[in-house]
Amino acid sequence: MTAYPSWTPAPRPGIIPLQPLGFGTILGRSFAALRQNPKVLLGFALVVQTVSLLVVTAALVAVGFATFGRLATLQAGTDEFEAVLAGSIAISGATGLVLSLAAGALGVIVQGIVVSEVAQSVLAEKHTLGVLWGRVKPVAWRLIGYTALVSLIVLAVLGVLVTGIVVLAFAAAPAAIGLAILLVLAAIPLSLWLSTKLLLVPSAIVLERASVFGAIARSWHLTRGRFWSTLGIVVIISLSFSLLAQVVSVPFSFLTGAVTAVITPTGDPGPSEIITLLLGTLIAQAFVTLIQTIAMIVQSTAGALVYVDGRMRHEGLDLDLSSYVDRRDAGERDLPDPYLQHVGREMPQRWMPTSPPAGGWAAPGYPSAPPAPSAYPTAPPAPPAPPASGASATDWTAPGADRGA
């Protein structure tokens, strides 16, 4: 034990310590926001996901009945049949595209609510859905615009590639197949790279009030130097929930098939068998929707924490957050939003090394502790060597001895 101060971790007023975060901290605390405010986050996200799923399914079924139902009154193989079939496919595809974009818009609003909640959880604050929506509402159209922009770019690129492959297939089918395989393989790392570099766009839009293109630039900058750890977090969370969804859905599928086989051994289903099949499918879909909703919340939380970590590393956001917490706890009110302070400020690297230096870490504002005194006395210095052979004995005297007679 010494009287010198030693380095201690930064305080954690909320779900994370106010210092740059490690890989394990971000991954582990990605579930913290859901545990802290499940009624708001999970309840709101479940309602949005369920309504979106029901509306999209009902609309697709209605459009399918309205368009493909005409084919029953036409003779197969005729020009009219082919025209109606092509029109039905086009209308159904366009409807599915529009509804998918609408569902994506609702999904990005959920992400915005999660980002706002995580930002407050870092400061140990817990708000209602109305307060969180009040923070997201001014930038909601930017979130929707970003989603629409990404979707349109992806569709345009896919359209060009598919058209090129189809044209090539008429000239050389094997070459078209090989090109399609190469493009699919190349799309996997490209999509992972882009999704990682753009992971922080919703956080920048919600917390900084950035424009769409400004948020893209901010996400690109804040993931600099942290790409692989961010990619690892995204992949681990995605794979974990994907496997969990399969584990849940596969037993329901087997169970529904077994029950259907027992009830209808002849293979001619009646109304009760159809109801049983639909009920099993709906239950499985309900569990899958729940898992997907939790996955969206956890993924959005991870993105918000990566954003906070990036700003603490590059811009010293931890200093602004600590100042806000201190002033709030001291009783001050109407404090400025710390996430809007010093946006884009460049700070030198200030995070602690992974291993302590000699003498230990010093607390901020204190000099490094001097080395502790040894518990054992220091050995006396060795006496000098005696004179070489041939020298007189009186030419050398041991230290401390008296010279002369």
Side-chain angles (χ1 to χ4, degrees):
M1 297 293 293
T2 66
Y4 298 102
S6 59
W7 180 84
T8 56
R12 194 182 78 189
I15 60 175
I16 58 171
L18 297 184
Q19 64 179 18
L21 310 174
F23 176 85
T25 302
I26 296 177
L27 186 61
R29 304 308 296 174
S30 296
F31 298 84
L34 180 60
R35 294 197 304 267
Q36 178 168 330
N37 204 351
K39 183 184 296 186
V40 171
L41 293 184
L42 186 58
F44 175 70
L46 269 178
V47 169
V48 171
Q49 287 286 89
T50 303
V51 170
S52 175
L53 178 63
L54 292 177
V55 170
V56 170
T57 303
L60 288 177
V61 171
V63 171
F65 272 112
T67 55
F68 289 96
R70 292 186 55 194
L71 297 176
T73 61
L74 302 176
Q75 184 178 359
T78 61
D79 293 339
E80 187 178 4
F81 181 90
E82 297 295 333
V84 171
L85 177 61
S88 300
I89 294 174
I91 293 175
S92 299
T95 303
L97 175 60
V98 172
L99 292 176
S100 297
L101 292 176
L106 291 177
V108 78
I109 294 298
V110 174
Q111 293 182 39
I113 294 292
V114 174
V115 167
S116 182
E117 167 61 22
V118 171
Q120 302 310 307
S121 298
V122 170
L123 301 171
E125 296 179 356
K126 185 176 180 180
H127 296 300
T128 63
L129 179 60
V131 175
L132 297 177
W133 169 243
R135 295 174 59 90
V136 176
K137 183 179 178 180
V139 295
W141 285 109
R142 299 180 195 177
L143 293 171
I144 295 174
Y146 166 71
T147 304
L149 176 65
V150 172
S151 301
L152 291 177
I153 291 176
V154 171
L155 289 175
V157 173
L158 286 177
V160 171
L161 293 178
V162 170
T163 301
I165 291 174
V166 171
V167 172
L168 181 61
F170 286 105
I177 295 174
L179 178 61
I181 294 174
L182 290 177
L183 290 176
V184 170
L185 294 177
I188 296 175
L190 179 62
S191 61
L192 289 175
W193 179 66
L194 287 176
S195 61
T196 302
K197 296 296 292 184
L198 300 177
L199 178 67
L200 312 186
V201 171
S203 300
I205 291 177
V206 173
L207 299 180
E208 300 179 12
R209 306 292 191 264
S211 63
V212 172
F213 292 102
I216 292 174
R218 289 286 291 159
S219 179
W220 214 272
H221 170 72
L222 292 176
T223 53
R224 186 182 60 191
R226 299 286 290 171
F227 173 81
W228 291 110
S229 60
T230 304
L231 175 62
I233 292 169
V234 172
V235 171
I236 289 175
I237 293 176
S238 300
L239 289 181
S240 299
F241 282 100
S242 297
L243 292 175
L244 182 59
Q246 293 298 322
V247 169
V248 170
S249 61
V250 169
F252 274 103
S253 300
F254 280 115
L255 181 61
T256 303
V259 172
T260 305
V262 171
I263 296 177
T264 59
T266 60
D268 188 14
S272 60
E273 290 80 14
I274 295 176
I275 292 175
T276 302
L277 180 61
L278 290 176
L279 183 60
T281 303
L282 289 176
I283 294 175
Q285 184 61 45
F287 276 99
V288 171
T289 302
L290 175 62
I291 294 172
Q292 290 175 345
T293 302
I294 297 175
M296 177 190 297
I297 296 173
V298 174
Q299 191 91 2
S300 301
T301 302
L305 293 180
V306 171
Y307 165 84
V308 172
D309 174 65
R311 284 197 61 184
M312 287 193 295
R313 291 175 180 273
H314 291 284
E315 302 171 3
L317 177 63
D318 51 330
L319 304 179
D320 298 323
L321 298 179
S322 298
S323 175
Y324 175 89
V325 171
D326 292 340
R327 295 171 63 186
R328 180 198 64 192
D329 294 345
E332 295 189 39
R333 295 293 180 265
D334 299 327
L335 295 173
D337 189 344
Y339 293 99
L340 294 177
Q341 305 299 310
H342 306 111
V343 175
R345 174 178 60 184
E346 290 294 334
M347 296 284 289
Q349 296 182 353
R350 301 173 299 107
W351 56 88
M352 288 294 180
T354 55
S355 58
W361 279 313
Y366 293 93
S368 300
S374 175
Y376 299 95
T378 305
S389 59
S392 173
T394 58
D395 295 338
W396 175 84
T397 305
D402 294 331
R403 289 182 176 272

